[in-house]
Amino acid sequence: MYYFMGYNKDRDIYDCLATFDDIQTAEAHIEDYKTMLCKDELKDEFGEPYDWIEVWDSEDDNGVNDLIIAR
């Protein structure tokens, strides 16, 4: 399972934005999420935009292969 996690550095929180069953499906959505991130369309529950997104693999306990999507 792959998780798209939005990070708000001001509040120091991660929120799960989406989950995908396989890497191919997750990769197919990266550009869409990057576009939304750059337009400040992805916001937390208080209306603050996320600073970046991380793609986490549930099988990777150390986060070695985490992908960071930044502006």
Side-chain angles (χ1 to χ4, degrees):
M1 184 79 60
Y2 292 85
Y3 300 88
F4 278 50
M5 304 296 293
Y7 182 70
N8 180 321
K9 67 180 177 182
D10 295 330
R11 295 183 53 228
D12 192 28
I13 60 162
Y14 284 94
D15 291 321
C16 184
L17 305 175
T19 60
F20 299 98
D21 292 328
D22 56 71
I23 189 63
Q24 293 82 10
T25 306
E27 287 177 340
H29 289 86
I30 288 174
E31 285 303 315
D32 294 334
Y33 275 84
K34 186 172 184 174
T35 299
M36 289 187 288
L37 180 70
C38 291
K39 293 180 177 181
D40 287 337
E41 293 175 350
L42 299 173
K43 299 180 181 186
D44 68 12
E45 64 182 311
F46 296 101
E48 294 183 26
Y50 291 106
D51 296 291
W52 64 80
I53 298 169
E54 296 183 18
V55 181
W56 296 352
D57 178 353
S58 63
E59 300 294 319
D60 180 11
D61 293 336
N62 297 319
V64 174
N65 295 314
D66 288 355
L67 173 65
I68 298 179
I69 303 169
R71 298 171 196 248

